[in-house]
Amino acid sequence: MSDDLRRSCIDCAATRCDNHTTGKPYPAFCVSRQVTGDQREASLNQYLTDQEDQKLAQVAAGIESDGYRKWPRVQETILFAKRMGYRKIGIATCVALLRESRVLAKMLRANGFEVFGVGCKTGEIFKTDLGIDQAHQGPGPVACNPVLQAQLLNKEGTELNIVMGLCVGHDSLFYKHAKAVTTTLIVKDRVLIHNPVMALYTADSYYAELMKPIEE
């Protein structure tokens, strides 16, 4: 690795950061070793002074512990919402995943939740209205509208939003503008059947070209 690259957690082979229990030494570049006492206390105080953050952390830890290697993510999501005491759930879905989102909505309603979903093409604005040039009109002229998705779910007063396959960047816009806590159930990857991690697992074979600079 080049000396001009600053190393961090992604360059560490350790899978645990608790050398007090494992007895294994931290690497010299360990990010945990660089965290100051003030930084640690500031992060801890965020959990202790913000009741929502504290509850989110506690419930998330409970879901992780109780469902570890037992529950699929959709089950974890449903139980997370129940333990948080949420009643109204929003679904921000790609229109190509409306079938999957309808199944999710049935599961949520069967568990007593009120559900409101908004598709990505809602509002029917055109890509040309956003200043998108003619060379990038595919796969169609109607633009995805994650800002409106977020605004409509905000108006509905959803307590938890679930993202279902929004495109890269569109999901970022949704996260930016949504007011409610948001989690993701499906990450879109049309080539790998919505399983993007496969490109990482096959980075030494099928997708070895991604280990080199990609031409735009």
Side-chain angles (χ1 to χ4, degrees), residues 151-210:
Q151 291 173 341
L152 292 175
L153 292 180
N154 292 343
K155 184 178 179 180
E156 286 294 319
T158 56
E159 298 165 286
L160 174 70
N161 295 323
I162 301 174
V163 168
M164 295 284 285
L166 298 186
C167 296
V168 172
H170 294 151
D171 55 358
S172 302
L173 280 165
F174 181 83
Y175 300 139
K176 179 179 179 181
H177 292 276
K179 292 182 179 179
V181 171
T182 299
T183 189
T184 300
L185 185 60
I186 297 178
V187 178
K188 179 187 290 175
D189 190 324
R190 295 183 180 90
V191 173
L192 297 178
I193 317 176
H194 310 315
N195 186 19
V197 74
M198 285 306 300
L200 307 182
Y201 291 150
T202 58
D204 59 350
S205 55
Y206 293 108
Y207 286 95
E209 71 273 14
L210 296 179

Side-chain angles (χ1 to χ4, degrees), residues 21-98:
T21 58
T22 65
K24 296 180 180 179
Y26 292 122
F29 62 84
C30 178
V31 175
S32 285
R33 292 181 63 183
Q34 300 169 29
V35 173
T36 67
D38 288 343
Q39 288 175 316
R40 181 185 179 281
E41 287 302 314
S43 65
L44 178 59
N45 286 336
Q46 178 64 35
Y47 295 111
L48 299 181
T49 59
D50 188 303
Q51 292 184 348
E52 183 182 37
D53 286 352
Q54 185 178 48
K55 187 175 182 180
L56 283 166
Q58 292 172 344
V59 171
I63 293 295
E64 179 188 21
S65 177
D66 296 341
Y68 192 65
R69 295 184 177 181
K70 294 188 295 185
W71 300 339
R73 188 176 178 94
V74 66
Q75 185 174 353
E76 291 182 332
T77 302
I78 291 170
L79 291 172
F80 171 77
K82 284 189 172 186
R83 294 183 185 185
M84 285 299 299
Y86 297 142
R87 302 307 307 163
K88 191 165 189 177
I89 297 180
I91 298 177
T93 182
C94 170
V95 293
L97 288 162
L98 279 172

